[in-house]
Amino acid sequence: MLYCEQNSTNNLPKYNVLIIEDSEFINNTVYVTLNAKDYYYTDQAFNFKQAANKLHEKEYNFIILDLTLPDAYGEELLNDIKKLTKAKIIILTAEADKQIRETLFKNGILDYIVKDDQFSKSLKSIDITVKSIAKNIHSNVLVIDDSMFMCKQIEKILRIRNYNSLIALNAKDGFNLLKRRKTNLIILDMELPDIHGLELLNQIREKQEFCHIPVIILSGNNDPELIRDCLKSGASDFITKPFNIEEFTLKVDLSIESNRMHTEVLCKQKILDEYKLAIDDSTIVSKTDSKGIITYINQKFCDISGYSQEELIGKPHNIVRHPDMPHEVFEDMWRTIKSKKVWSGVVKNLKKDGSSYYVQSTINPIIDYDGSIVEYIGIRTDITELSKIKIELEKNLNISNKNFSQAYKISQEYQKAIDASNILSRTDTHGVITYVNDMFCKISGYSKEELLGKKHSILKSPRTSKKVYKKMWETISAKKVWQGQLENIAKDGSKYYVESTIVPILDEDENIVEYLGIRYNVTDIVTIHKELDSTQKEIIYKMGEVGESRSQETGNHVKRVAEYSRLLARLSGLGEKNANLLYTASPMHDIGKVAIPDSILKKPGKLTDEEWIVMRTHCEIGYRILKDSSRPILKAAALVSYRHHEKWDGSGYPNALKGEEIHIFGRITALADVFDALGSDRCYKKAWDLEKILTLFKEEKGKHFDPKLVELFLNNLDKFLFIRERFKDIN
């Protein structure tokens, strides 16, 4: 079962924090750092006596404690503080003793910060820890272990970090709890009274509703064969008893965060599906292949046309084409969409029963990463009633003078009908509003008194290009009808969108006497389109974050690689559209790492030859995950994942491609990824300085990297450094 929650740390509760540190400089440094956040109320104490007085007067959520005070010291000091408060305690100390550190974690501390040359950076981890445990109250950890003592010990450790524990002493009870309760992580012992833990792990992974939940194996048996079997069966990690508490909590935190991001991706996908359903419910939708053959139609298309899905799929749209429609309209439509532009217009169609209907149509060409059209999506709105009214109005006004009074009466009735179903306005030849109907006032939020005598610029959105309005005035001044979609700003500042038709009204001498504006509200459709686009991009970005979080990459790595890639694509002359496509797809360059075991992915030392072979498979894994998608962004992401470790001289992997055999997206992402990786701290290395990185790039020009891209990078280095500074890691 998928649990989608709105858990945000943007509105954190207020926390009372007491800093107990005898060094005035360090105490004040911590105080200033925390007070910069508006969710901390921070107090200071410089010795145990002052701290005790404050703890008697006030309740605190967190204590930041130096273990060496003038009047108290060490573990005894910690115990004295714990007698006075239930606050969570973060140790601040100059001692980096591993044994003391482990002892303190056993005694229930939240974190251990050493006052060394990295102290200012370590201070930022306090805020990160607080935000993390604020989210943890929503996370349940299922502990399946036959030892009640071990379960209680784990429960105590998890409680310190605000996790909720679910306890089961055998496999059957554990599986039942898993079915009934939301679970974010499973900690599983191998030796269970009813079945072996490995068998239970396989049962969990076989269930679709549980397969995404991370499982940490906790076992006293560190046999390499058992570890391998557990990882092959889908375990996230393997911890040997007796375990180091700090290591245990760090691995729990990483697994929970990975599950949290995975769930967020699934929830976003669910939202995306709901948006698709919303479009299907509110508009007439069809898809065709690049040759115009229908591949999908929704129920509203069937309802309005009278045809079934079986009768429409596999046919071209001329099955509903009305003979009254000029061939020139469809020639213009195909010319437009084949040139990769959007076509909009009114189309008269023929139902299966022989009757006609009218639709306002928008045809969108869908482009893949190679710039080829893969399909067309048509979104339509039924305007049959409006079109029939217009036709009848024209017909009835074109009669002899002897019946003019009758025609005038009929025209008034039609005007009422149009007025009731559309957003109308009239202006004089200078664009000054002379009439608006009630629907115009309702959507804009202005009264008639506020609009009459003004120009439509009162509603103009700053986001709409001046070229649009210039083209509109050129068209209507030439006595032609202008049609287009406009974004407007209502009186309350909200945005709304209208499909507009501006008609110049001519007198008998063919002079323009006024302009009539007929609009209908398309805000819901436009909003859904924007939400679909942003949600798809967010899902892709989050999927990229999932891959990076498993390998513990730096916080903004995927963001910087995306920015570098877009900049380099622009400099390479790929155009804005391809640059933005690469920007959206590049965060997923390492998505294949989700399938690499933690024992290899997070290994701090050099990989063995066998481990390196496994690590290299992440390119092909990422490609297989994404390659079958019909979405241009995901197809581009598949290509980036597959090619970003190829090298210009053919020494890369997985296919040892050379030169321009490597797709330009792969060549760009390779350079962007290496530049950021070398300049960032990793678990196996420290960040390189800039001069060393630039020296390497010059040496690898024509070897690892495309020489033209290296030149573009070096000639525009200031722009890349600006991005690196703007999105630098804060922890």
Side-chain angles (χ1 to χ4, degrees):
M1 184 180 295
L2 183 63
Y3 294 88
C4 297
E5 299 174 344
Q6 298 296 322
N7 298 333
S8 173
T9 56
N10 294 331
N11 297 308
L12 287 171
K14 304 296 182 182
Y15 294 116
N16 292 325
V17 181
L18 177 60
I19 307 165
I20 310 172
E21 162 67 59
D22 64 330
S23 165
E24 188 172 339
F25 171 75
I26 292 178
N27 200 317
N28 289 335
T29 300
V30 179
Y31 180 83
V32 170
T33 301
L34 294 183
N35 266 13
K37 311 290 184 182
D38 59 6
Y39 41 84
Y40 293 120
Y41 293 127
T42 312
D43 293 327
Q44 296 172 278
F46 296 89
N47 54 55
F48 176 72
K49 183 178 179 181
Q50 289 179 0
N53 289 335
K54 290 184 179 292
L55 290 169
H56 281 302
E57 296 169 359
K58 187 175 179 180
E59 289 187 5
Y60 290 92
N61 304 103
F62 296 94
I63 304 292
I64 299 171
L65 175 64
D66 178 20
L67 280 181
T68 307
L69 298 178
D71 50 352
Y73 176 82
E75 192 173 358
E76 185 178 346
L77 167 60
L78 174 62
N79 291 330
D80 288 340
I81 292 293
K82 290 180 71 174
K83 291 174 185 176
L84 298 172
T85 180
K86 294 181 179 179
K88 298 183 187 298
I89 299 173
I90 297 173
I91 296 297
L92 204 59
T93 180
E95 299 181 16
D97 188 288
K98 293 182 180 178
Q99 186 173 350
I100 293 174
R101 187 179 186 124
E102 173 65 7
T103 301
L104 292 174
F105 272 101
K106 287 180 180 177
N107 206 345
I109 67 167
L110 182 62
D111 206 351
Y112 186 99
I113 297 174
V114 180
K115 293 182 283 188
D116 56 14
D117 55 356
Q118 297 292 316
F119 175 62
S120 60
K121 185 176 179 181
S122 299
L123 275 183
K124 296 176 182 177
S125 70
I126 296 175
D127 186 55
I128 293 169
T129 299
V130 170
K131 286 181 177 178
S132 174
I133 67 171
K135 291 189 290 186
N136 289 348
I137 60 174
H138 302 285
S139 299
N140 294 332
V141 180
L142 173 59
V143 183
I144 307 176
D145 195 305
D146 64 338
S147 167
M148 179 56 78
F149 173 78
M150 179 58 70
C151 289
K152 291 298 182 183
Q153 288 295 105
I154 294 173
E155 183 178 27
K156 181 181 176 182
I157 294 168
L158 295 176
R159 191 185 310 121
I160 293 167
R161 301 191 72 78
N162 278 0
Y163 292 118
N164 306 305
S165 298
L166 309 173
I167 303 297
L169 300 177
N170 56 61
K172 181 180 178 182
D173 291 346
F175 210 81
N176 287 334
L177 272 173
L178 194 58
K179 293 176 182 176
R180 298 199 316 267
R181 300 288 299 275
K182 182 197 81 168
T183 303
N184 303 89
L185 171 66
I186 301 169
I187 297 174
L188 176 60
D189 182 32
M190 286 288 95
E191 303 300 327
L192 299 175
D194 41 359
I195 61 173
H196 193 266
L198 187 57
E199 185 179 343
L200 177 58
L201 175 61
N202 287 320
Q203 290 179 12
I204 291 170
R205 286 293 175 251
E206 287 170 2
K207 296 289 185 180
Q208 186 176 359
E209 63 267 37
F210 305 141
C211 63
H212 67 282
I213 301 173
V215 179
I216 295 177
I217 303 300
L218 198 59
S219 176
N221 182 358
N222 63 352
D223 176 53
E225 188 173 347
L226 175 63
I227 296 172
R228 183 197 65 206
D229 290 343
C230 289
L231 293 174
K232 277 187 172 182
S233 296
S236 307
D237 218 322
F238 192 104
I239 300 176
T240 305
K241 300 176 186 177
F243 56 81
N244 177 283
I245 294 176
E246 185 176 12
E247 177 192 356
F248 176 80
T249 56
L250 284 171
K251 288 186 174 181
V252 167
D253 287 344
L254 283 171
S255 295
I256 290 284
E257 185 60 27
S258 176
N259 174 256
R260 192 176 283 139
M261 287 193 290
H262 179 79
T263 302
E264 191 173 343
V265 168
L266 293 179
C267 290
K268 292 294 184 183
Q269 183 64 53
K270 184 179 178 184
I271 293 171
L272 184 61
D273 291 340
E274 289 174 357
Y275 282 136
K276 290 177 180 176
L277 287 174
I279 288 180
D280 263 6
D281 289 342
S282 60
T283 58
I284 302 160
V285 182
S286 71
K287 293 182 184 180
T288 73
D289 62 18
S290 58
K291 297 179 181 179
I293 302 301
I294 298 171
T295 57
Y296 169 82
I297 46 96
N298 69 344
Q299 188 57 46
K300 282 188 173 291
F301 196 112
C302 296
D303 293 342
I304 196 169
S305 69
Y307 289 96
S308 67
Q309 290 186 343
E310 292 74 17
E311 291 173 308
L312 290 166
I313 291 176
K315 306 289 196 309
H317 273 97
N318 59 17
I319 191 174
V320 293
R321 183 180 296 178
H322 198 285
D324 289 352
M325 284 297 295
H327 289 289
E328 292 79 12
V329 173
F330 297 105
E331 289 172 0
D332 174 66
M333 181 191 76
W334 274 104
R335 187 165 50 249
T336 301
I337 61 178
K338 282 187 173 182
S339 65
K340 303 173 185 177
K341 298 176 183 177
V342 176
W343 182 87
S344 292
V346 175
V347 177
K348 182 180 182 181
N349 283 335
L350 190 67
K351 293 187 179 184
K352 185 178 180 180
D353 64 8
S355 60
S356 61
Y357 65 96
Y358 295 81
V359 286
Q360 176 68 44
S361 300
T362 300
I363 314 298
N364 292 274
I366 305 301
I367 316 296
D368 69 9
Y369 57 86
D370 284 328
S372 303
I373 297 172
V374 293
E375 65 178 352
Y376 300 103
I377 297 179
I379 298 176
R380 305 164 183 82
T381 305
D382 182 10
I383 56 168
T384 303
E385 292 305 315
L386 174 63
S387 297
K388 287 183 177 180
I389 288 171
K390 287 180 179 177
I391 292 169
E392 288 299 319
L393 184 59
E394 292 172 1
K395 176 182 175 182
N396 280 285
L397 287 177
N398 191 27
I399 58 177
S400 63
N401 286 336
K402 66 179 180 179
N403 291 323
F404 180 78
S405 60
Q406 181 184 359
Y408 180 71
K409 178 68 170 71
I410 292 172
S411 72
Q412 286 183 314
E413 293 302 312
Y414 283 126
Q415 183 175 340
K416 288 179 185 177
I418 294 173
D419 227 23
S421 59
N422 288 275
I423 302 161
L424 299 181
S425 70
R426 289 157 59 187
T427 73
D428 63 18
T429 54
H430 301 291
V432 176
I433 299 172
T434 58
Y435 169 81
V436 291
N437 69 344
D438 291 339
M439 289 186 70
F440 194 111
C441 295
K442 182 178 179 181
I443 195 171
S444 70
Y446 289 97
S447 66
K448 289 184 179 181
E449 292 73 21
E450 291 173 309
L451 290 167
L452 296 179
K454 304 288 195 309
K455 293 190 175 183
H456 281 92
S457 57
I458 192 174
L459 307 167
K460 188 183 294 184
S461 168
R463 292 163 52 89
T464 304
S465 169
K466 292 180 181 178
K467 293 180 181 178
V468 173
Y469 295 107
K470 183 181 179 183
K471 179 66 175 177
M472 179 186 74
W473 274 103
E474 288 175 351
T475 302
I476 60 178
S477 297
K479 304 176 185 178
K480 298 177 182 177
V481 175
W482 181 87
Q483 289 183 313
Q485 189 181 101
L486 294 174
E487 177 184 305
N488 287 334
I489 304 296
K491 185 178 180 180
D492 63 4
S494 61
K495 293 183 289 188
Y496 66 94
Y497 299 85
V498 288
E499 197 70 38
S500 299
T501 302
I502 312 297
V503 182
I505 305 300
L506 310 179
D507 62 14
E508 59 184 4
D509 295 323
E510 296 295 305
N511 296 315
I512 298 172
V513 293
E514 67 174 351
Y515 298 104
L516 173 65
I518 304 170
R519 306 163 185 84
Y520 59 92
N521 185 8
V522 294
T523 303
D524 289 343
I525 295 172
V526 172
T527 302
I528 287 171
H529 273 290
K530 290 179 181 290
E531 290 286 355
L532 278 169
D533 185 58
S534 64
T535 302
Q536 184 182 28
K537 289 178 179 177
E538 186 172 356
I539 287 172
I540 290 168
Y541 187 79
K542 287 293 181 185
M543 287 176 71
E545 281 190 335
V546 169
E548 299 301 336
S549 68
R550 287 207 64 242
S551 55
Q552 296 177 286
E553 304 290 16
T554 53
N556 280 328
H557 173 66
V558 294
K559 187 175 292 184
R560 290 192 297 269
V561 170
E563 293 285 348
Y564 296 149
S565 298
R566 177 163 60 182
L567 173 57
L568 199 49
R570 287 169 173 166
L571 295 171
S572 304
L574 293 186
E576 196 65 20
K577 189 168 185 178
N578 280 324
N580 286 327
L581 179 62
L582 180 56
Y583 169 79
T584 306
S586 63
M588 295 182 67
H589 62 278
D590 276 338
I591 188 63
K593 287 183 179 178
V594 298
I596 304 300
D598 284 353
S599 58
I600 295 175
L601 194 62
K602 300 176 183 177
K603 183 177 180 180
K606 185 178 180 181
L607 298 179
T608 65
D609 291 344
E610 292 78 11
E611 289 170 332
W612 180 236
I613 291 170
V614 175
M615 176 64 86
R616 285 166 50 139
T617 62
H618 80 272
C619 296
E620 295 180 79
I621 292 169
Y623 178 68
R624 290 200 303 270
I625 290 171
L626 302 167
K627 69 182 180 68
D628 294 325
S629 172
S630 62
R631 301 293 94 198
I633 293 173
L634 293 179
K635 289 173 75 69
L639 188 65
V640 168
S641 175
Y642 205 26
R643 300 294 185 227
H644 76 286
H645 280 299
E646 300 285 2
K647 295 184 179 181
W648 183 261
D649 63 3
S651 63
Y653 64 88
N655 296 311
L657 300 180
K658 289 184 179 181
E660 294 188 359
E661 292 177 351
I662 308 165
H663 194 281
I664 185 65
F665 282 6
R667 283 180 270 151
I668 288 173
T669 308
L671 192 149
D673 187 32
V674 171
F675 176 61
D676 193 69
L678 293 178
S680 305
D681 287 334
R682 297 289 169 87
C683 63
Y684 50 84
K685 71 165 189 68
K686 300 296 290 182
W688 289 20
D689 60 46
L690 181 60
E691 287 305 317
K692 187 176 178 182
I693 295 173
L694 297 181
T695 300
L696 175 76
F697 271 42
K698 290 171 185 176
E699 292 172 351
E700 291 298 315
K701 177 182 174 183
K703 297 177 183 177
H704 187 156
F705 304 117
D706 181 337
K708 292 181 181 178
L709 294 181
V710 174
E711 285 299 316
L712 288 171
F713 171 79
L714 295 174
N715 292 337
N716 295 273
L717 181 60
D718 56 330
K719 296 176 183 177
F720 289 91
L721 294 179
F722 174 80
I723 291 171
R724 185 167 78 168
E725 178 63 23
R726 182 182 175 194
F727 297 104
K728 65 182 180 181
D729 296 321
I730 60 171
N731 56 341

